[in-house]
Amino acid sequence: AEEAFANMASTFLGGFADSLRAQGVRRVTFMVYINGNITDLPAIFTFRLKNDFGEDSLFRNIEPSYAFQLDLLRLSNFHIKLSDSLQTQMGRTVMLP
């Protein structure tokens, strides 16, 4: 489902690439609830000018403000792939009574 959305959004933005470029837009980010369930975390897709507004998969599911801080461009020479982990609850905070 994420790949389908990424392809659809890339095609959509491709139709506006000249207008976006003329306005000085460098990146477009979508936050989307893929399954329509707002209790899940949204998927985050970033489309960049340097890719003709195609998705930059290095930044998928990373909030734009964090992407800069993580300096992910240093990893652009590597093929990064997300993998499932048993520790999906890591970082979750629960308030105690």
Side-chain angles (χ1 to χ4, degrees):
E2 286 189 2
E3 288 301 321
F5 177 82
N7 292 332
M8 181 182 67
S10 182
T11 301
F12 174 77
L13 289 172
F16 295 96
D18 291 335
S19 299
L20 293 168
R21 194 175 290 111
Q23 294 297 318
V25 175
R26 296 185 306 160
R27 102 181 38 85
V28 176
T29 300
F30 292 98
M31 294 181 75
V32 182
Y33 293 99
I34 295 292
N35 298 322
N37 185 356
I38 62 171
T39 60
D40 292 338
L41 292 174
I44 301 171
F45 302 88
T46 300
F47 300 83
R48 299 180 68 199
L49 171 64
K50 76 172 195 164
N51 297 341
D52 272 341
F53 292 101
E55 185 194 11
D56 194 335
S57 60
L58 183 62
F59 295 97
R60 185 179 285 184
N61 292 321
I62 298 176
E63 291 184 36
S65 59
Y66 294 141
F68 176 76
Q69 292 174 354
L70 292 172
D71 202 12
L72 293 175
L73 292 176
R74 298 177 115 200
L75 300 174
S76 63
N77 292 330
F78 298 89
H79 178 70
I80 310 283
K81 182 178 178 183
L82 294 176
S83 61
D84 292 331
S85 171
L86 295 175
Q87 297 183 0
T88 57
Q89 298 294 323
M90 206 164 142
R92 183 177 180 191
T93 304
V94 177
M95 182 181 267
L96 299 175

